[in-house]
Amino acid sequence: MLFRNATLADGRRRDVRVSGETIAAVGEDLGGREDERTVDATGKRLLPGMIDAHVHFREPGDSHKEDWTTGSTSAAAGGVTTVVDQPNTSPPTVDGAAFDEKATLAADSLVDFGLNGGVTADWDPDSLLDRDVFALGEVFLADSTGNMGIEEPLFLDALAEADARDVTVTVHAEDASLFNVSAQERDDADAWSAYRTARAEAAAVARACDVAAERDTTIHVAHTSTPRGIDIAAESGMTCEVTPHHMYLSRNDLRELDTHGRMNPPLRREKRRQRVYDRVVDGTVDMIATDHAPHTAAEKDAEIWDAPSGVPGVETALPLLLADARTGDLTYERIRDLTAANPADVFDLPNKGAVAEGMDADLVLVDPGKTHPIRADRLHTKCDWTPFEGREAVFPQLTLVRGSVVYERDPDDRPGGESETLGDAVGRNVRTAAENAGDGRERDADRLTRGEETESIADLAAEVVEERPDDDRR
């Protein structure tokens, strides 16, 4: 396949040739071949596929909410070419047998995947870490879906086990001792945000970072929802992610979302949301990850203390970010880094995250001039609602995973329209693939030899700003 005159994230116009599973050439006026498909990409952006380091595809155990086919289809339609599934399924992915069960199910994936291992009191690190685990975590420092919250001694054990095997640890950081129990007397949707305070996140991030630093290791902080939590992670030399719902939604939106807006960590005040967004823009945040956590609308339509936590987002994340590039709030280069280059660096995926010769042909073609409103009935997840209903977004026209077309629609058709076609289940475990291809831990050197520019997050980090304690109420 040959993309003609595509505009890359940095604004260069190039032809890009795909041969087999890799990008064979990036250049000007590449000669066409009789046996290859040519795509006119004039006026369109060709980007590396998004690496979503945080999804919950619910299989095994809750396939009525999502399964690997629907979840990966949703990912492909949203320009996500690699997903990382979290361990809080049923059974939880805490030993070798559970990992093997999930790996069998993941064979139905249209996109590449990683499978995280979980940490609980009865986990079996020997059998678990004998598998091709992507990372350990998210390690829950407070309860969430799946009841996998742990105490600090077990967290220390997990750090030691992971460090011995050169495995990254990702952390869900909330300190339950700082939850506001008085909020439990309320029954409005905002009570959940009042209960799981911003202080609880900041304190847990600080403690987790301190523990990691004391042991001369690093952690990745999942779904940071407060500016203070982000600053602490950056200041400590750790990495962090932010979700689209914490970028775009605040407690003000709970009037409309009601209990559908319950999530962990919860939505924050509007001022905090804006400061989180600012840190996404200025480089303090390392990556965007969706925490795609589908529940049906019927399940979410419950009292605030009974509704499950989580919202869908794997199909709408990149389209929402691309809409912000249209307005100038984000640059395409920053979007590339947040969604592809940085996740590939942080999680050591040496063949992913860039449009460059020799890399996996994980590619997304979009027309930045065309937006479409997000509609739940046009999305591909089993989850029958979205917190972003009606928002304008830029959806992919074509998504490739290692050279295979997994999603395509006519440029003149809307997302979810009749012209859509889906590819085969070509997804594979990225850790297994890396082992088969050789260790490949010289990513930075490889990128420099290709002439690709790299951006230092530390150079862009914003000055740490102390946040006021969260209010009990709005």
Side-chain angles (χ1 to χ4, degrees):
M1 180 179 290
L2 178 65
F3 291 92
R4 285 283 190 201
N5 201 32
T7 304
L8 306 184
D10 60 8
R12 291 176 299 151
R13 291 187 178 90
R14 294 290 185 269
D15 295 345
V16 177
R17 169 166 284 124
V18 173
S19 179
E21 296 190 344
T22 61
I23 297 172
V26 178
E28 298 180 86
D29 300 321
L30 297 180
R33 297 172 179 170
E34 291 185 3
D35 60 344
E36 71 182 351
R37 175 184 173 184
T38 299
V39 177
D40 182 6
T42 302
K44 299 176 182 179
R45 292 275 177 169
L46 187 65
L47 306 172
M50 180 172 176
I51 301 167
D52 188 349
H54 195 141
V55 304
H56 300 265
F57 277 179
R58 302 301 190 204
E59 222 179 10
D62 285 300
S63 57
H64 69 285
K65 302 174 190 278
E66 196 75 284
D67 59 40
W68 276 93
T69 297
T70 58
S72 66
T73 299
S74 191
V80 176
T81 54
T82 301
V83 297
V84 181
D85 194 63
Q86 304 304 302
N88 56 334
T89 44
S90 181
T93 317
V94 294
D95 56 37
F99 182 93
D100 292 344
E101 179 182 2
K102 181 176 286 189
T104 298
L105 295 166
D108 291 335
S109 180
L110 274 69
V111 302
D112 282 350
F113 57 87
L115 304 178
N116 276 8
V119 179
T120 61
D122 57 354
W123 75 313
D124 179 7
D126 289 335
S127 68
L128 177 64
L129 295 174
D130 188 49
R131 269 61 174 181
D132 292 319
V133 171
F134 185 86
L136 271 189
E138 55 188 301
V139 176
F140 293 89
L141 303 185
D143 278 339
S144 190
T145 303
N147 297 318
M148 292 179 65
I150 65 171
E151 300 296 331
E152 186 170 305
L154 187 51
F155 177 50
L156 298 177
D157 291 344
L159 286 177
E161 293 282 359
D163 188 55
R165 295 169 171 84
D166 196 25
V167 173
T168 302
V169 174
T170 72
V171 177
H172 177 134
E174 289 181 279
D175 184 344
S177 72
L178 295 176
F179 289 175
N180 175 20
V181 294
S182 67
Q184 292 178 311
E185 299 173 2
R186 296 165 49 185
D187 60 5
D188 58 298
D190 186 66
W192 194 252
S193 291
Y195 174 58
R196 296 179 84 116
T197 63
R199 296 188 301 276
E201 175 177 283
V205 172
R207 181 56 184 154
C209 291
D210 286 346
V211 168
E214 289 167 2
R215 284 150 184 81
D216 195 28
T217 190
T218 57
I219 59 171
H220 175 73
V221 184
H223 45 49
T224 42
S225 65
T226 63
R228 184 65 181 136
I230 293 166
D231 290 340
I232 291 169
E235 188 178 48
S236 302
M238 310 300 167
T239 58
C240 73
E241 68 194 40
V242 163
T243 69
H245 43 273
H246 291 123
M247 280 183 66
Y248 294 112
L249 303 173
S250 73
R251 290 168 75 167
N252 292 348
D253 294 291
L254 290 170
R255 298 184 184 97
E256 180 177 349
L257 291 172
D258 199 45
T259 55
H260 285 63
R262 174 178 150 166
M263 62 197 68
N264 299 330
L267 294 178
R268 306 299 183 185
R269 288 188 320 226
E270 175 59 22
K271 288 183 178 179
R272 277 201 170 89
R273 183 207 65 79
Q274 184 59 56
R275 290 169 183 162
V276 166
Y277 190 100
D278 292 344
R279 283 155 174 77
V280 170
V281 173
D282 70 20
T284 313
V285 171
D286 297 279
M287 68 187 74
I288 300 301
T290 65
D291 192 13
H292 174 79
H295 303 281
T296 67
E299 290 169 329
K300 294 290 281 188
D301 189 17
E303 298 296 325
I304 188 61
W305 303 105
D306 298 322
S309 293
V311 299
V314 72
E315 191 167 344
T316 51
L318 184 59
L320 284 167
L321 295 171
L322 292 171
D324 281 359
R326 284 169 48 88
T327 63
D329 292 331
L330 283 169
T331 67
Y332 288 102
E333 288 178 289
R334 183 69 183 130
I335 292 171
R336 174 203 63 197
D337 292 345
L338 287 163
T339 62
N342 290 352
D345 284 337
V346 168
F347 292 109
D348 191 27
L349 300 175
N351 297 318
K352 296 187 181 296
V355 180
E357 183 178 339
M359 302 293 279
D360 284 354
D362 296 344
L363 299 170
V364 180
L365 184 68
V366 301
D367 184 347
K370 292 184 178 180
T371 65
H372 298 272
I374 295 173
R375 301 297 184 201
D377 60 3
R378 299 176 185 174
L379 302 178
H380 298 77
T381 171
K382 281 189 180 180
C383 185
D384 50 354
W385 63 281
T386 171
F388 303 111
E389 183 74 26
R391 292 183 182 238
E392 291 294 317
V394 177
F395 284 89
Q397 295 178 9
L398 184 65
T399 303
L400 275 67
V401 172
R402 285 178 289 102
S404 294
V405 176
V406 293
Y407 174 84
E408 187 170 10
R409 65 178 172 85
D410 188 293
D412 295 323
D413 194 9
R414 61 170 175 78
E418 293 182 358
S419 70
E420 283 188 340
T421 58
L422 301 173
D424 296 328
V426 298
R428 66 187 184 194
N429 186 332
V430 293
R431 292 293 185 232
T432 304
E435 284 189 5
N436 291 340
D439 189 32
R441 292 192 180 270
E442 301 298 323
R443 178 181 181 81
D444 291 342
D446 289 346
R447 286 194 159 195
L448 288 174
T449 59
R450 293 187 187 103
E452 183 181 349
E453 294 181 0
T454 57
E455 185 178 48
S456 168
I457 295 301
D459 290 343
L460 294 173
E463 182 178 351
V464 174
V465 178
E466 185 68 36
E467 288 291 308
R468 293 185 293 117
D470 204 3
D471 294 335
D472 290 345
R473 306 182 70 89
R474 280 180 301 196

